[in-house]
Amino acid sequence: MRRIVGAGLWVLFLLGLWLLVFRPRPAPTPALPAPWGRLAAALAAGDLAALRALAERPGYAAVVAARALAEDPRVPAAERVRWVRAAVAFEGRPALLWGAELLVRLGAPDLAVSYYRRAIGEPAARAALVRLAREGNAAAIEALFRAGRYRAVLPYLRRPEDRGRALLGLGRYREALSLLADPEDRGRALLALGRSPQAAAAFRQAGDFLGLGRALLAEGRRAAAVAAFLKASDRGLWEAAGALEKAEPARAVALYLRLAGRAGELGDAAAYRAYQLARRRGDGALVERAYRALRGGYAALAGKPLGRLSFKPLPPAPRGLRVVRALARAGRWDWARGEARYRAAAARGAEARAWAWVLYRLGDYPAAARYGGPRLRYPTPWRAWVLARAQRAGLDPWLLYAVIRVESAFDPRAVSPTGAQGLLQFTDATWREVAARLGEAPADPRDPRAAIRYGAYYLGALLRRFGDVRLALIAYNGGPGYVARGLRRYRNFEDFWRFQPRDEPRRYLGRVARDWAIYRALASRPRREPGFLAGFPSPP
């Protein structure tokens, strides 16, 4: 028995000795470059003096130090407010909720409201503004009112004129009319109620020729309406041309072409409508003239070749790349991205473009697009996933990329003022609907892979339903019911596109069509990266 115990002890001794000598040791953590090593030490020790010194220096380390000081209860409240402002000034939208919530606790509610207002699409921001409005905060009431959150703000409005405008925005026209004094607002309410003569009088009093034209057109006085429209802005030209399409099509085309000569999305839409009408009339010379005027996405929809894309030479390595590479190798991905953004914002020309490539490698696609050339302004992240999901949904992958770019600029955390979220900007209701169709519990809308999967499925379903990519895109923006109602009324895409009641779906179609054409053009060019990215780490 003693021999067995003794042998066992020897085995344990030898095993322990082997582990002591040969056990694998963790790789040493790479040393952080200056001033990041000092920052890490100051954060670990809670050294306020060191953090204050770092926060006063230029660089992204100052932003991180400012955030730490803003959150530290040992720092006086007035100083913490200063550090909140410094951090939000650089970080922008991702830091708005963090900053606003801190400011409320620090007794600076009006400044907090300015941040909540910029983040109004976030449910937490809206809830905070309503809570502050309930407490009587005038800035919160004004923020909700200016953001068009009329239902939420109505109980807290005291001035009759403000209540009237909120009721007008809610479509409660009869109630609004009794409170409104401004003739333009009264004209809008009267026109919505079908009281065109009184609306015309109100618009005339306000000097609103666009509203006057609409009221006169509702009365059937087309010539007078066109005369009023032509006294208005570019929008008046658009309205005048639309009013003349049936009775005087040649004059309508001339007005569209006159508007097409002006910059902007409305000018592009006017050229496209002139092209449609000229083709409908079979006027070859007019078709050619309208074709020459086509620009942007509408040119692509008409089959006009895309203009030549210009590419600059790949840039050399930017100054300071060693610092960002060291942060990335240490696994400090947020710090690496922040440092690269800070340096890109301060750079110009080739150096800014070089930092754009670094940001792309680090996964900050919106910042890369801000500072980069065509390749980075039209990125292709999550490429294998996008290609696979587009193929499964029967979509051109470059169309899916174009939709992502227009919807969110490749920011998975994007939130619209109306609360749509993620890469493909789904509302909560549509996200839940797609999840139900897929037979699963709703995924996280800010997860890029889930957003791409849901977006490809939904856009593919719209394309199968309407059989026309243009209608599918308008439905993606405005809703399938919106398109179905429009087609029942106008019977064809062209007239529905022109006379639809909302402008946003029309603009959306032009933007996506433009980006789709550019993606297809870029697809034929080989992709090259700067040599300085060789060996640069990528985020997990």
Side-chain angles (χ1 to χ4, degrees), residues 109-110 113 128-142 144 153 155-158:
D110 287 355
V113 164
L129 285 172
V130 170
R131 184 179 65 252
L132 289 167
R134 192 181 301 122
E135 294 169 3
N137 184 283
I141 293 170
E142 183 180 2
L144 288 166
V153 78
Y156 313 112
L157 295 174
R158 296 292 173 261

PDB file of all heavy atoms in Angstrom, residues 109-110 113 128-142 144 153 155-158:
ATOM      1  N   PRO A 109     -31.205  70.216 -18.039  1.00  0.00           N
ATOM      2  CA  PRO A 109     -32.221  69.585 -18.891  1.00  0.00           C
ATOM      3  C   PRO A 109     -32.348  70.227 -20.263  1.00  0.00           C
ATOM      4  O   PRO A 109     -32.657  69.531 -21.236  1.00  0.00           O
ATOM      5  CB  PRO A 109     -33.508  69.735 -18.077  1.00  0.00           C
ATOM      6  CG  PRO A 109     -33.264  70.902 -17.176  1.00  0.00           C
ATOM      7  CD  PRO A 109     -31.810  70.844 -16.847  1.00  0.00           C
ATOM      8  N   ASP A 110     -32.143  71.548 -20.373  1.00  0.00           N
ATOM      9  CA  ASP A 110     -32.318  72.182 -21.680  1.00  0.00           C
ATOM     10  C   ASP A 110     -31.260  71.703 -22.678  1.00  0.00           C
ATOM     11  O   ASP A 110     -31.557  71.476 -23.859  1.00  0.00           O
ATOM     12  CB  ASP A 110     -32.260  73.700 -21.543  1.00  0.00           C
ATOM     13  CG  ASP A 110     -33.515  74.268 -20.881  1.00  0.00           C
ATOM     14  OD1 ASP A 110     -34.453  73.474 -20.616  1.00  0.00           O
ATOM     15  OD2 ASP A 110     -33.555  75.476 -20.626  1.00  0.00           O
ATOM     16  N   VAL A 113     -32.194  68.256 -23.742  1.00  0.00           N
ATOM     17  CA  VAL A 113     -33.263  68.264 -24.740  1.00  0.00           C
ATOM     18  C   VAL A 113     -32.682  68.424 -26.141  1.00  0.00           C
ATOM     19  O   VAL A 113     -33.148  67.786 -27.094  1.00  0.00           O
ATOM     20  CB  VAL A 113     -34.279  69.385 -24.427  1.00  0.00           C
ATOM     21  CG1 VAL A 113     -35.173  69.674 -25.638  1.00  0.00           C
ATOM     22  CG2 VAL A 113     -35.136  69.000 -23.236  1.00  0.00           C
ATOM     23  N   ALA A 128     -38.129  60.297 -23.033  1.00  0.00           N
ATOM     24  CA  ALA A 128     -37.531  61.303 -22.154  1.00  0.00           C
ATOM     25  C   ALA A 128     -38.100  62.687 -22.441  1.00  0.00           C
ATOM     26  O   ALA A 128     -38.377  63.468 -21.513  1.00  0.00           O
ATOM     27  CB  ALA A 128     -36.012  61.310 -22.330  1.00  0.00           C
ATOM     28  N   LEU A 129     -38.287  63.017 -23.714  1.00  0.00           N
ATOM     29  CA  LEU A 129     -38.853  64.318 -24.059  1.00  0.00           C
ATOM     30  C   LEU A 129     -40.287  64.444 -23.543  1.00  0.00           C
ATOM     31  O   LEU A 129     -40.680  65.507 -23.045  1.00  0.00           O
ATOM     32  CB  LEU A 129     -38.803  64.522 -25.576  1.00  0.00           C
ATOM     33  CG  LEU A 129     -37.422  64.849 -26.159  1.00  0.00           C
ATOM     34  CD1 LEU A 129     -37.478  64.832 -27.679  1.00  0.00           C
ATOM     35  CD2 LEU A 129     -36.933  66.204 -25.669  1.00  0.00           C
ATOM     36  N   VAL A 130     -41.067  63.379 -23.667  1.00  0.00           N
ATOM     37  CA  VAL A 130     -42.446  63.421 -23.150  1.00  0.00           C
ATOM     38  C   VAL A 130     -42.432  63.600 -21.639  1.00  0.00           C
ATOM     39  O   VAL A 130     -43.235  64.373 -21.086  1.00  0.00           O
ATOM     40  CB  VAL A 130     -43.209  62.144 -23.567  1.00  0.00           C
ATOM     41  CG1 VAL A 130     -44.557  62.064 -22.842  1.00  0.00           C
ATOM     42  CG2 VAL A 130     -43.420  62.112 -25.074  1.00  0.00           C
ATOM     43  N   ARG A 131     -41.527  62.899 -20.971  1.00  0.00           N
ATOM     44  CA  ARG A 131     -41.444  63.035 -19.503  1.00  0.00           C
ATOM     45  C   ARG A 131     -41.082  64.464 -19.113  1.00  0.00           C
ATOM     46  O   ARG A 131     -41.685  65.048 -18.212  1.00  0.00           O
ATOM     47  CB  ARG A 131     -40.386  62.063 -18.975  1.00  0.00           C
ATOM     48  CG  ARG A 131     -40.290  62.041 -17.444  1.00  0.00           C
ATOM     49  CD  ARG A 131     -39.256  61.061 -16.960  1.00  0.00           C
ATOM     50  NE  ARG A 131     -37.903  61.423 -17.355  1.00  0.00           N
ATOM     51  CZ  ARG A 131     -37.186  60.795 -18.271  1.00  0.00           C
ATOM     52  NH1 ARG A 131     -37.676  59.738 -18.903  1.00  0.00           N
ATOM     53  NH2 ARG A 131     -35.965  61.193 -18.571  1.00  0.00           N
ATOM     54  N   LEU A 132     -40.120  65.067 -19.821  1.00  0.00           N
ATOM     55  CA  LEU A 132     -39.729  66.442 -19.522  1.00  0.00           C
ATOM     56  C   LEU A 132     -40.849  67.420 -19.870  1.00  0.00           C
ATOM     57  O   LEU A 132     -41.063  68.417 -19.162  1.00  0.00           O
ATOM     58  CB  LEU A 132     -38.449  66.797 -20.285  1.00  0.00           C
ATOM     59  CG  LEU A 132     -37.172  66.109 -19.777  1.00  0.00           C
ATOM     60  CD1 LEU A 132     -36.045  66.265 -20.785  1.00  0.00           C
ATOM     61  CD2 LEU A 132     -36.763  66.691 -18.430  1.00  0.00           C
ATOM     62  N   ALA A 133     -41.572  67.147 -20.964  1.00  0.00           N
ATOM     63  CA  ALA A 133     -42.706  68.011 -21.323  1.00  0.00           C
ATOM     64  C   ALA A 133     -43.785  67.947 -20.240  1.00  0.00           C
ATOM     65  O   ALA A 133     -44.384  68.973 -19.884  1.00  0.00           O
ATOM     66  CB  ALA A 133     -43.280  67.579 -22.671  1.00  0.00           C
ATOM     67  N   ARG A 134     -44.011  66.764 -19.714  1.00  0.00           N
ATOM     68  CA  ARG A 134     -44.996  66.596 -18.645  1.00  0.00           C
ATOM     69  C   ARG A 134     -44.602  67.392 -17.405  1.00  0.00           C
ATOM     70  O   ARG A 134     -45.449  67.884 -16.662  1.00  0.00           O
ATOM     71  CB  ARG A 134     -45.131  65.111 -18.302  1.00  0.00           C
ATOM     72  CG  ARG A 134     -46.319  64.775 -17.414  1.00  0.00           C
ATOM     73  CD  ARG A 134     -46.367  63.289 -17.088  1.00  0.00           C
ATOM     74  NE  ARG A 134     -46.454  62.489 -18.305  1.00  0.00           N
ATOM     75  CZ  ARG A 134     -45.569  61.551 -18.665  1.00  0.00           C
ATOM     76  NH1 ARG A 134     -44.520  61.316 -17.900  1.00  0.00           N
ATOM     77  NH2 ARG A 134     -45.734  60.877 -19.773  1.00  0.00           N
ATOM     78  N   GLU A 135     -43.288  67.539 -17.211  1.00  0.00           N
ATOM     79  CA  GLU A 135     -42.792  68.315 -16.075  1.00  0.00           C
ATOM     80  C   GLU A 135     -42.796  69.816 -16.349  1.00  0.00           C
ATOM     81  O   GLU A 135     -42.382  70.601 -15.498  1.00  0.00           O
ATOM     82  CB  GLU A 135     -41.378  67.856 -15.721  1.00  0.00           C
ATOM     83  CG  GLU A 135     -41.323  66.418 -15.201  1.00  0.00           C
ATOM     84  CD  GLU A 135     -39.890  65.890 -15.103  1.00  0.00           C
ATOM     85  OE1 GLU A 135     -38.952  66.669 -15.397  1.00  0.00           O
ATOM     86  OE2 GLU A 135     -39.718  64.714 -14.736  1.00  0.00           O
ATOM     87  N   GLY A 136     -43.209  70.196 -17.582  1.00  0.00           N
ATOM     88  CA  GLY A 136     -43.310  71.609 -17.916  1.00  0.00           C
ATOM     89  C   GLY A 136     -42.079  72.195 -18.560  1.00  0.00           C
ATOM     90  O   GLY A 136     -41.959  73.427 -18.683  1.00  0.00           O
ATOM     91  N   ASN A 137     -41.153  71.371 -19.017  1.00  0.00           N
ATOM     92  CA  ASN A 137     -39.940  71.883 -19.655  1.00  0.00           C
ATOM     93  C   ASN A 137     -40.287  72.437 -21.038  1.00  0.00           C
ATOM     94  O   ASN A 137     -40.681  71.697 -21.940  1.00  0.00           O
ATOM     95  CB  ASN A 137     -38.892  70.770 -19.771  1.00  0.00           C
ATOM     96  CG  ASN A 137     -37.579  71.268 -20.345  1.00  0.00           C
ATOM     97  OD1 ASN A 137     -37.467  71.482 -21.539  1.00  0.00           O
ATOM     98  ND2 ASN A 137     -36.591  71.453 -19.484  1.00  0.00           N
ATOM     99  N   ALA A 138     -40.129  73.748 -21.196  1.00  0.00           N
ATOM    100  CA  ALA A 138     -40.535  74.407 -22.444  1.00  0.00           C
ATOM    101  C   ALA A 138     -39.709  73.932 -23.622  1.00  0.00           C
ATOM    102  O   ALA A 138     -40.218  73.805 -24.746  1.00  0.00           O
ATOM    103  CB  ALA A 138     -40.417  75.921 -22.283  1.00  0.00           C
ATOM    104  N   ALA A 139     -38.414  73.669 -23.405  1.00  0.00           N
ATOM    105  CA  ALA A 139     -37.551  73.217 -24.499  1.00  0.00           C
ATOM    106  C   ALA A 139     -37.994  71.853 -25.012  1.00  0.00           C
ATOM    107  O   ALA A 139     -37.970  71.586 -26.220  1.00  0.00           O
ATOM    108  CB  ALA A 139     -36.100  73.168 -24.032  1.00  0.00           C
ATOM    109  N   ALA A 140     -38.414  70.961 -24.104  1.00  0.00           N
ATOM    110  CA  ALA A 140     -38.884  69.638 -24.521  1.00  0.00           C
ATOM    111  C   ALA A 140     -40.188  69.745 -25.301  1.00  0.00           C
ATOM    112  O   ALA A 140     -40.389  69.044 -26.304  1.00  0.00           O
ATOM    113  CB  ALA A 140     -39.071  68.746 -23.294  1.00  0.00           C
ATOM    114  N   ILE A 141     -41.087  70.618 -24.864  1.00  0.00           N
ATOM    115  CA  ILE A 141     -42.351  70.821 -25.582  1.00  0.00           C
ATOM    116  C   ILE A 141     -42.078  71.322 -26.991  1.00  0.00           C
ATOM    117  O   ILE A 141     -42.643  70.820 -27.967  1.00  0.00           O
ATOM    118  CB  ILE A 141     -43.249  71.801 -24.793  1.00  0.00           C
ATOM    119  CG1 ILE A 141     -43.684  71.166 -23.471  1.00  0.00           C
ATOM    120  CG2 ILE A 141     -44.462  72.205 -25.618  1.00  0.00           C
ATOM    121  CD1 ILE A 141     -44.356  72.132 -22.516  1.00  0.00           C
ATOM    122  N   GLU A 142     -41.173  72.291 -27.111  1.00  0.00           N
ATOM    123  CA  GLU A 142     -40.844  72.822 -28.436  1.00  0.00           C
ATOM    124  C   GLU A 142     -40.172  71.766 -29.306  1.00  0.00           C
ATOM    125  O   GLU A 142     -40.446  71.670 -30.506  1.00  0.00           O
ATOM    126  CB  GLU A 142     -39.921  74.038 -28.301  1.00  0.00           C
ATOM    127  CG  GLU A 142     -39.596  74.671 -29.638  1.00  0.00           C
ATOM    128  CD  GLU A 142     -38.683  75.874 -29.526  1.00  0.00           C
ATOM    129  OE1 GLU A 142     -38.259  76.204 -28.400  1.00  0.00           O
ATOM    130  OE2 GLU A 142     -38.365  76.478 -30.567  1.00  0.00           O
ATOM    131  N   LEU A 144     -40.565  68.462 -29.231  1.00  0.00           N
ATOM    132  CA  LEU A 144     -41.576  67.527 -29.724  1.00  0.00           C
ATOM    133  C   LEU A 144     -42.431  68.163 -30.811  1.00  0.00           C
ATOM    134  O   LEU A 144     -42.767  67.520 -31.814  1.00  0.00           O
ATOM    135  CB  LEU A 144     -42.465  67.067 -28.563  1.00  0.00           C
ATOM    136  CG  LEU A 144     -41.825  66.107 -27.554  1.00  0.00           C
ATOM    137  CD1 LEU A 144     -42.673  65.996 -26.304  1.00  0.00           C
ATOM    138  CD2 LEU A 144     -41.621  64.731 -28.193  1.00  0.00           C
ATOM    139  N   VAL A 153     -47.279  65.793 -27.925  1.00  0.00           N
ATOM    140  CA  VAL A 153     -47.088  67.128 -27.352  1.00  0.00           C
ATOM    141  C   VAL A 153     -48.400  67.884 -27.149  1.00  0.00           C
ATOM    142  O   VAL A 153     -48.444  68.858 -26.384  1.00  0.00           O
ATOM    143  CB  VAL A 153     -46.123  67.946 -28.234  1.00  0.00           C
ATOM    144  CG1 VAL A 153     -46.822  68.495 -29.479  1.00  0.00           C
ATOM    145  CG2 VAL A 153     -45.466  69.068 -27.450  1.00  0.00           C
ATOM    146  N   PRO A 155     -51.148  67.608 -25.384  1.00  0.00           N
ATOM    147  CA  PRO A 155     -51.664  67.954 -24.040  1.00  0.00           C
ATOM    148  C   PRO A 155     -50.885  69.072 -23.345  1.00  0.00           C
ATOM    149  O   PRO A 155     -51.395  69.654 -22.379  1.00  0.00           O
ATOM    150  CB  PRO A 155     -51.517  66.634 -23.270  1.00  0.00           C
ATOM    151  CG  PRO A 155     -51.418  65.576 -24.306  1.00  0.00           C
ATOM    152  CD  PRO A 155     -50.742  66.201 -25.471  1.00  0.00           C
ATOM    153  N   TYR A 156     -49.677  69.372 -23.817  1.00  0.00           N
ATOM    154  CA  TYR A 156     -48.833  70.334 -23.111  1.00  0.00           C
ATOM    155  C   TYR A 156     -48.742  71.681 -23.828  1.00  0.00           C
ATOM    156  O   TYR A 156     -48.038  72.578 -23.366  1.00  0.00           O
ATOM    157  CB  TYR A 156     -47.426  69.739 -22.927  1.00  0.00           C
ATOM    158  CG  TYR A 156     -47.483  68.326 -22.416  1.00  0.00           C
ATOM    159  CD1 TYR A 156     -47.091  67.248 -23.227  1.00  0.00           C
ATOM    160  CD2 TYR A 156     -47.989  68.051 -21.148  1.00  0.00           C
ATOM    161  CE1 TYR A 156     -47.186  65.951 -22.773  1.00  0.00           C
ATOM    162  CE2 TYR A 156     -48.095  66.744 -20.692  1.00  0.00           C
ATOM    163  CZ  TYR A 156     -47.690  65.699 -21.509  1.00  0.00           C
ATOM    164  OH  TYR A 156     -47.803  64.412 -21.059  1.00  0.00           O
ATOM    165  N   LEU A 157     -49.438  71.817 -24.949  1.00  0.00           N
ATOM    166  CA  LEU A 157     -49.424  73.087 -25.686  1.00  0.00           C
ATOM    167  C   LEU A 157     -50.457  74.032 -25.084  1.00  0.00           C
ATOM    168  O   LEU A 157     -51.606  73.652 -24.858  1.00  0.00           O
ATOM    169  CB  LEU A 157     -49.726  72.841 -27.163  1.00  0.00           C
ATOM    170  CG  LEU A 157     -48.687  72.007 -27.938  1.00  0.00           C
ATOM    171  CD1 LEU A 157     -49.190  71.711 -29.350  1.00  0.00           C
ATOM    172  CD2 LEU A 157     -47.340  72.720 -27.989  1.00  0.00           C
ATOM    173  N   ARG A 158     -50.052  75.255 -24.866  1.00  0.00           N
ATOM    174  CA  ARG A 158     -50.946  76.228 -24.235  1.00  0.00           C
ATOM    175  C   ARG A 158     -51.447  77.281 -25.227  1.00  0.00           C
ATOM    176  O   ARG A 158     -52.599  77.694 -25.140  1.00  0.00           O
ATOM    177  CB  ARG A 158     -50.209  76.915 -23.071  1.00  0.00           C
ATOM    178  CG  ARG A 158     -49.827  75.956 -21.944  1.00  0.00           C
ATOM    179  CD  ARG A 158     -51.059  75.442 -21.216  1.00  0.00           C
ATOM    180  NE  ARG A 158     -50.722  74.409 -20.242  1.00  0.00           N
ATOM    181  CZ  ARG A 158     -50.848  73.109 -20.465  1.00  0.00           C
ATOM    182  NH1 ARG A 158     -51.318  72.667 -21.637  1.00  0.00           N
ATOM    183  NH2 ARG A 158     -50.542  72.232 -19.527  1.00  0.00           N
TER     184      ARG A 158
END
